[in-house]
Amino acid sequence: MEPESVEDLYQLADSIMRTHATNVITDLRNRFLHNMAHPSLHLEMTDCFYRYSIETATSFWGYGSKYHFAMVSYASYASFVDVVTAVAELVVKQKKMTLAHLMKAVEADYEGYPVELALCKKQPKLGSDDPIANQHAHDVLLRFTDIVNALAEEIL
């Protein structure tokens, strides 16, 4: 699907983030349920910092915690933001190439695509204090947070 607007691009990004978050949350839930059914007396280093784990001598991942929580980290967040920024600029706004063409260049590791590589390298990057990259970082993080919160309610 060729994105015609930045919102179309974000819909594609949402799908990728939703798949990632679903896998992480499902894995955490399954680990927790397994450990609740099969509690271990084996304590991990982090259990030393949970009062309930120490009092009950059980791991946080089993019965060793009065209140459980899970964190879903967003691995490769900066890289994902850089990709969204580059696609938004090159494909959607400037229309310098199609998404299909850019994907061919990426799949070829830019071998034979020197112009595309140069264009991608010139795009704003997260951490360079560029307002375009910063706005995408903001938008991606808000969308990811919304996705994780919605999935946590569905799955858990």
Side-chain angles (χ1 to χ4, degrees), residues 8-155:
D8 288 348
L9 174 61
Y10 273 112
Q11 293 293 324
L12 290 170
D14 287 351
S15 175
I16 293 166
M17 291 186 291
R18 188 173 290 106
T19 298
H20 168 72
T22 298
N23 291 340
V24 170
I25 292 170
T26 300
D27 287 347
L28 285 170
R29 180 181 181 273
N30 290 341
R31 179 180 175 187
F32 175 75
L33 292 174
H34 173 80
N35 289 337
M36 289 297 283
H38 309 286
S40 171
L41 295 180
H42 173 76
L43 299 177
E44 297 176 8
M45 182 62 162
T46 55
D47 290 319
C48 296
F49 301 100
Y50 298 114
R51 189 171 119 196
Y52 201 73
S53 289
I54 293 169
E55 290 172 1
T56 61
T58 55
S59 175
F60 167 83
W61 287 103
Y63 289 102
S65 179
K66 191 171 185 178
Y67 304 105
H68 286 86
F69 66 90
M71 288 177 36
V72 178
S73 64
Y74 193 0
S76 304
Y77 169 71
S79 295
F80 191 76
V81 169
D82 290 347
V83 168
V84 169
T85 302
V87 173
E89 292 299 308
L90 295 173
V91 174
V92 178
K93 292 180 182 176
Q94 299 171 16
K95 301 201 183 300
K96 296 214 177 201
M97 64 185 85
T98 64
L99 182 58
H101 182 80
L102 179 57
M103 291 303 299
K104 284 182 184 177
V106 170
E107 288 169 4
D109 200 21
Y110 296 98
E111 197 72 32
Y113 295 90
V115 172
E116 293 81 351
L117 178 59
L119 286 170
C120 287
K121 284 184 173 184
K122 288 181 184 177
Q123 296 313 302
K125 305 289 188 283
L126 183 59
S128 64
D129 203 28
D130 182 276
I132 294 170
N134 288 349
Q135 185 61 52
H136 284 294
H138 174 266
D139 295 346
V140 166
L141 187 58
L142 286 180
R143 293 175 87 106
F144 182 68
T145 302
D146 289 345
I147 288 167
V148 168
N149 287 336
L151 287 172
E153 290 181 18
E154 283 176 34
I155 296 172

